[in-house]
Amino acid sequence: MDFTPRDPNWENRVRSSYAAQAFMTNLGAELVHLSPGAVDLELKMRTDLTQQHGYFHAGVTSSIADSAAGYAALSLFAPGFGVLTSEYKINLLNPAAQKVLMARGRVVKPGRTLTIAKADVYGLDEGVHVHVATGLFTLVSVPGVKD
Amino acid sequence: MDFTPRDPNWENRVRSSYAAQAFMTNLGAELVHLSPGAVDLELKMRTDLTQQHGYFHAGVTSSIADSAAGYAALSLFAPGFGVLTSEYKINLLNPAAQKVLMARGRVVKPGRTLTIAKADVYGLDEGVHVHVATGLFTLVSVPGVKD
Amino acid sequence: MDFTPRDPNWENRVRSSYAAQAFMTNLGAELVHLSPGAVDLELKMRTDLTQQHGYFHAGVTSSIADSAAGYAALSLFAPGFGVLTSEYKINLLNPAAQKVLMARGRVVKPGRTLTIAKADVYGLDEGVHVHVATGLFTLVSVPGVKD
Amino acid sequence: MDFTPRDPNWENRVRSSYAAQAFMTNLGAELVHLSPGAVDLELKMRTDLTQQHGYFHAGVTSSIADSAAGYAALSLFAPGFGVLTSEYKINLLNPAAQKVLMARGRVVKPGRTLTIAKADVYGLDEGVHVHVATGLFTLVSVPGVKD
């Protein structure tokens, strides 16, 4: 879908807000794609991101899915509104232990107060592209919150 | 609800599997309560667990909710079955920046293949007890996976 | 939890809006309990409410769960705001073919724009009380919509 | 995606099971498309399918989304397994009062025990095509249940 940002400064705003998410720095997650209503994040496998069987913890998968969906939403917000996640649901389709985990956040329906987005997470290795998770997210635009 | 574990070794099994979740160590999350079908986890506020406004990142909240629900489920599994999260949904009720974040995982309906659990997350400070999130989780018992 | 309605006319308002839900009449669902933030609905088994194995269709279970959650939310809305469901998630715990299906909607967190509610559905027979489903709902209060 | 049915009789099986869903007959919902992993259902606006503002009740939208997702899943099941919905989540994107409501169920990931599907619901009128809802569904294949 084609979206038109309401904030001429949308790109700087998303990038600087993302840079301030200390938890994404903890996970080593980088913003690798940004366009209106669309954000991709990637991180690399690290032992301290795993659960007991050596797969990425579902919480890691969900965390980058949530940030990808949230910044996809923020890219379409009017100036002066910040983004908070209201709720989400995620299906974990395959356990993942690939070298790279990528989350693709895409806005499904923008709105003044509520924005609905989806996110899909993939595990990437040489010649490997596994669908790890798919989720739906509700993001709220909060007036007076800096983002 | 009152549950009877199917594995006489359930307590050791949950504790040693939890200790192997490197991501929980990353978050500083500790197992503070364990009984059949019930697990509480707690972590302390740290800058590298926050999003851009200084609140706990929704991914952190979800991660301990997921592990609390997952280990509540595992406590009731038969020997020889491991636990994986199939899907979950979480509502973030209040932004949280308290000193302690606690997740309470409770089994709603145990099953041979699928176990349904809920988790509630609270932000704790002196005299403060905020309901941060509530979620529903589907856990799968996987034969032949060590846990 | 204890809630205080913001509309002195909350009881009439919920009852007359409920009476206008033609689909609830189709299902034969009756409002059997109403208090601030709490609504119970009941319907009786009928062949035309079943799926292919003779159980209540998941859609019927969800429909009364949704209306119970929605009216629990509406009971706390200020005058002049109508209720719409933004999203929900439901886990179907047990197939149900009891004589009566009851949905209990309860507000978890009221809000000016978003209200979070839960609903549990039970199948009732003489001496039988089966937990059929549990769900989480986000309800929106919409200004200028009659309810 | 391209799926290969495991039951040579998949088409008859889906159609006759669908015909046995008395609740779909109640709603006037017809199966208008069937291919492996894909089912479309349609129903026509009727007063007894509405909520208090004259829109389709969220329960109606969800019911056809659930049946579309469930039969998309069943189309890929091995012979001798029946389908039950384990859980789902749905976001209601726009209120709908169009002449026709269509649900598109599509399998995301087939599995021996769990199948993940999505469903999107659209409101159709002359020249109008509104995205009414989007949802994610977990379907269980149950051995020994006739479908």
Side-chain angles (χ1 to χ4, degrees):
Chain A
M1 230 185 288
D2 238 26
F3 296 115
T4 309
R6 280 173 280 189
D7 180 354
N9 191 37
W10 65 275
E11 196 166 346
N12 284 341
R13 193 177 165 209
V14 168
R15 289 192 187 278
S16 61
S17 175
Y18 182 76
Q21 281 214 333
F23 186 52
M24 287 298 113
T25 308
N26 174 333
L27 300 182
E30 291 180 23
L31 202 164
V32 297
H33 172 79
L34 169 61
S35 59
V39 163
D40 293 354
L41 302 178
E42 276 189 16
L43 57 77
K44 294 201 170 59
M45 171 53 93
R46 263 175 19 205
T47 305
D48 70 338
L49 303 181
T50 59
Q51 40 85 285
Q52 71 276 23
H53 314 113
Y55 299 124
F56 282 110
H57 194 284
V60 172
T61 303
S62 306
S63 295
I64 58 166
D66 173 50
S67 278
Y71 283 110
L74 181 65
S75 72
L76 303 179
F77 282 10
F81 288 78
V83 64
L84 283 176
T85 303
S86 169
E87 62 82 33
Y88 69 86
K89 187 266 205 277
I90 192 160
N91 281 76
L92 299 148
L93 305 172
N94 288 293
Q98 285 78 29
K99 282 185 192 159
V100 171
L101 199 65
M102 178 183 65
R104 275 197 184 147
R106 297 292 182 268
V107 168
V108 174
K109 195 206 161 210
R112 220 167 23 121
T113 304
L114 300 181
T115 292
I116 314 305
K118 64 179 176 179
D120 286 280
V121 182
Y122 301 91
L124 309 176
D125 238 330
E126 285 95 290
V128 175
H129 190 284
V130 177
H131 199 179
V132 173
T134 188
L136 288 169
F137 299 74
T138 304
L139 296 315
V140 188
S141 64
V142 187
V145 173
K146 201 195 156 293
D147 243 330
Chain B
M1 232 183 288
D2 237 26
F3 297 115
T4 308
R6 279 173 281 189
D7 180 353
N9 191 38
W10 65 276
E11 196 166 345
N12 283 341
R13 193 178 166 210
V14 168
R15 289 192 187 278
S16 63
S17 175
Y18 182 76
Q21 281 215 333
F23 186 52
M24 288 297 113
T25 308
N26 173 333
L27 301 183
E30 291 180 23
L31 201 163
V32 297
H33 171 80
L34 170 61
S35 59
V39 163
D40 293 354
L41 302 177
E42 277 188 16
L43 57 78
K44 294 200 170 60
M45 172 53 92
R46 263 177 18 207
T47 305
D48 70 338
L49 304 181
T50 58
Q51 40 85 284
Q52 71 277 22
H53 315 113
Y55 299 124
F56 282 110
H57 194 284
V60 172
T61 302
S62 306
S63 294
I64 59 166
D66 173 50
S67 278
Y71 282 110
L74 181 65
S75 72
L76 303 179
F77 282 9
F81 287 79
V83 63
L84 283 176
T85 303
S86 168
E87 63 84 32
Y88 69 85
K89 187 264 206 280
I90 193 160
N91 281 75
L92 300 148
L93 305 172
N94 288 293
Q98 285 78 28
K99 282 186 193 157
V100 171
L101 198 65
M102 178 183 65
R104 274 196 184 148
R106 297 293 181 268
V107 168
V108 175
K109 196 208 160 206
R112 219 167 24 121
T113 305
L114 300 181
T115 292
I116 313 305
K118 63 180 175 179
D120 286 279
V121 182
Y122 302 91
L124 308 177
D125 239 330
E126 286 95 289
V128 175
H129 190 282
V130 176
H131 199 178
V132 172
T134 188
L136 288 169
F137 298 75
T138 303
L139 295 315
V140 188
S141 65
V142 187
V145 173
K146 200 193 157 295
D147 243 331
Chain C
M1 231 183 287
D2 238 27
F3 296 115
T4 309
R6 279 173 281 189
D7 181 355
N9 191 38
W10 65 276
E11 196 166 346
N12 284 341
R13 193 177 164 210
V14 168
R15 289 191 188 279
S16 62
S17 175
Y18 183 76
Q21 281 215 333
F23 186 52
M24 288 297 114
T25 308
N26 173 334
L27 301 182
E30 290 181 24
L31 201 163
V32 297
H33 172 79
L34 169 61
S35 59
V39 163
D40 293 354
L41 302 179
E42 277 188 16
L43 57 77
K44 293 200 171 61
M45 171 53 92
R46 263 174 21 203
T47 304
D48 69 338
L49 303 181
T50 59
Q51 41 84 283
Q52 72 277 23
H53 315 113
Y55 299 124
F56 282 110
H57 195 285
V60 171
T61 302
S62 307
S63 294
I64 59 167
D66 173 50
S67 279
Y71 283 110
L74 180 66
S75 72
L76 303 179
F77 282 9
F81 288 78
V83 63
L84 283 177
T85 303
S86 168
E87 63 83 32
Y88 69 86
K89 187 265 206 279
I90 192 160
N91 280 75
L92 300 148
L93 305 172
N94 287 293
Q98 286 79 28
K99 282 185 192 157
V100 171
L101 199 64
M102 179 182 65
R104 273 197 186 147
R106 297 292 181 268
V107 168
V108 174
K109 196 207 160 210
R112 218 167 24 121
T113 304
L114 300 181
T115 292
I116 313 305
K118 63 180 175 178
D120 286 280
V121 182
Y122 301 92
L124 309 176
D125 238 329
E126 284 94 290
V128 176
H129 191 282
V130 176
H131 199 178
V132 172
T134 188
L136 288 169
F137 298 74
T138 303
L139 295 314
V140 188
S141 64
V142 187
V145 172
K146 200 194 158 295
D147 243 332
Chain D
M1 231 184 288
D2 237 28
F3 296 115
T4 309
R6 280 173 279 189
D7 180 354
N9 191 37
W10 65 276
E11 196 166 346
N12 284 340
R13 194 177 164 208
V14 168
R15 289 191 187 278
S16 62
S17 175
Y18 182 76
Q21 281 214 333
F23 186 52
M24 287 298 113
T25 308
N26 173 332
L27 301 182
E30 290 181 24
L31 201 164
V32 297
H33 171 79
L34 169 61
S35 58
V39 163
D40 294 353
L41 301 178
E42 277 188 16
L43 58 77
K44 293 200 171 61
M45 172 52 93
R46 264 176 18 205
T47 304
D48 70 338
L49 303 181
T50 59
Q51 39 86 284
Q52 71 277 22
H53 315 113
Y55 299 123
F56 282 110
H57 195 284
V60 172
T61 302
S62 306
S63 295
I64 59 167
D66 172 51
S67 278
Y71 282 110
L74 181 65
S75 72
L76 303 179
F77 282 10
F81 288 78
V83 63
L84 282 177
T85 303
S86 169
E87 62 83 33
Y88 68 86
K89 187 265 206 279
I90 192 161
N91 280 76
L92 299 149
L93 305 171
N94 288 292
Q98 285 78 28
K99 282 185 191 158
V100 170
L101 199 65
M102 178 183 64
R104 274 197 185 147
R106 297 293 181 266
V107 168
V108 174
K109 194 205 161 213
R112 219 168 23 121
T113 305
L114 300 182
T115 292
I116 313 305
K118 64 180 176 178
D120 287 280
V121 182
Y122 301 92
L124 308 176
D125 238 330
E126 285 95 289
V128 175
H129 190 283
V130 177
H131 199 178
V132 172
T134 188
L136 288 169
F137 297 75
T138 303
L139 295 314
V140 188
S141 64
V142 187
V145 172
K146 199 194 157 295
D147 243 331

